[in-house]
């Protein structure tokens, strides 16, 4: 029994080390640790979730999807795996499967701003515009300094013709991160739209 608890704490230490590497952008090193954990225990759900998350950060979408699918086979309630699959479906504009995964992720992990951001975006694009905006607003209330949420919400307002609201959100995103590519693109789009409306 003593050995079991020692090995559990060692596994947790290795997962924590991989997490720290991920947070500073050293995804390849994190993956080396995680893949070794998986060789030792192919049913290590935490390692699979982290592999999926690292692969997603590196834009290795097929590999992220494969790891997330494997995690869900072992634990249908894995909110990390559900979020990743929902995110990947959204990138490919597959709104219905995106909603299915993101709603399940939201049930397993309510009030997570990143899950809510993606859920709001998917709701908006699947035709549930009001619900999408409300959900994006909730994500922003939980994490008011996230330029991605500010931009997504701004785009939603732009598409519903609320230009002043959209512009204020994009401006706020740029205040937080003046180099944010999406925020810069969004501001350019609003400026063009304003000019077109004046003509």
């Amino acid at each position: 029994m003593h050995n079991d608890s020692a090995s559990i704490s060692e596994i947790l230490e290795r997962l924590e080390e991989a997490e720290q590497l991920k947070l500073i952008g050293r995804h390849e090193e994190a993956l080396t640790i995680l893949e070794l954990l998986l060789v030792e225990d192919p049913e290590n759900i935490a390692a699979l979730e982290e592999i999926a998350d690292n692969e997603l950060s590196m834009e290795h979408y097929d590999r992220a999807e494969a790891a997330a699918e494997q995690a869900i086979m072992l634990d249908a309630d894995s909110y990390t795996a559900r979020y990743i699959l929902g995110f990947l479906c959204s990138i490919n504009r597959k709104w219905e499967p995106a909603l299915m995964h993101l709603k399940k992720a939201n049930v397993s992990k309510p009030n997570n701003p990143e899950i809510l951001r993606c859920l709001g975006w998917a709701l908006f694009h699947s035709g549930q515009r009001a619900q999408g905006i409300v959900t994006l607003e909730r994500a922003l209330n939980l994490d008011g300094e996230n330029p991605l949420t500010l931009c997504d919400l701004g785009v939603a307002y732009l598409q519903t013709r609320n230009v002043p609201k959209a512009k204020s959100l994009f401006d706020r995103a740029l205040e937080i991160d003046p180099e944010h590519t999406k925020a810069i693109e969004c501001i350019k789009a609003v400026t063009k739209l304003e000019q077109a409306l004046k003509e």
Side-chain angles (χ1 to χ4, degrees):
M1 191 68 203
H2 174 71
N3 284 354
D4 279 357
S5 60
S7 65
I8 288 169
S9 69
E10 191 228 341
I11 288 167
L12 291 174
E13 278 172 28
R14 289 159 72 192
L15 283 167
E16 179 58 30
E17 186 187 349
E19 175 74 12
Q20 293 309 316
L21 288 166
K22 179 182 78 176
L23 292 173
I24 56 172
R26 288 161 63 179
H27 301 291
E28 296 285 359
E29 290 171 63
L31 282 168
T32 303
I33 293 168
L34 295 164
E35 284 163 359
L36 192 58
L37 278 170
L38 213 54
V39 168
E40 294 164 18
D41 175 12
E43 295 192 357
N44 187 326
I45 295 162
L48 280 166
E49 291 172 342
E50 285 299 310
I51 287 171
D53 203 12
N54 277 283
E55 296 287 9
L56 186 66
S57 297
M58 295 164 69
E59 298 184 3
H60 296 164
Y61 296 144
D62 290 347
R63 293 173 64 130
E65 185 177 5
E69 291 277 12
Q70 210 174 334
I72 282 176
M73 277 167 38
L74 297 167
D75 175 11
D77 294 327
S78 165
Y79 72 86
T80 302
R82 290 278 179 202
Y83 157 73
I84 288 168
L85 291 173
F87 179 84
L88 291 170
C89 289
S90 289
I91 290 175
N92 296 311
R93 307 182 75 76
K94 294 177 180 170
W95 303 118
E96 288 312 311
L99 282 175
M100 186 265 296
H101 287 301
L102 292 166
K103 282 178 177 175
K104 285 184 179 177
N106 189 43
V107 168
S108 298
K109 183 80 171 174
N111 298 320
N112 176 295
E114 181 57 18
I115 291 171
L116 287 169
R117 178 180 79 83
C118 291
L119 178 57
W121 186 251
L123 283 163
F124 186 85
H125 283 90
S126 68
Q128 301 173 59
R129 288 186 153 201
Q131 188 63 38
I133 286 175
V134 167
T135 307
L136 284 164
E137 289 278 10
R138 262 188 65 211
L140 190 61
N141 286 338
L142 291 164
D143 181 8
E145 301 293 297
N146 187 327
L148 282 175
T149 308
L150 288 161
C151 287
D152 285 355
L153 186 56
V155 168
Y157 277 119
L158 199 57
Q159 289 183 9
T160 54
R161 300 279 183 266
N162 189 339
V163 179
K165 178 77 175 167
K167 192 172 183 191
S168 73
L169 289 160
F170 299 146
D171 284 339
R172 213 166 111 205
L174 275 179
E175 279 169 29
I176 292 163
D177 181 1
E179 305 291 310
H180 200 274
T181 316
K182 188 171 179 182
I184 293 165
E185 285 170 11
C186 290
I187 284 286
K188 284 180 185 167
V190 169
T191 309
K192 265 188 197 165
L193 185 66
E194 284 177 329
Q195 285 168 347
L197 291 171
K198 280 176 196 165
E199 286 166 10

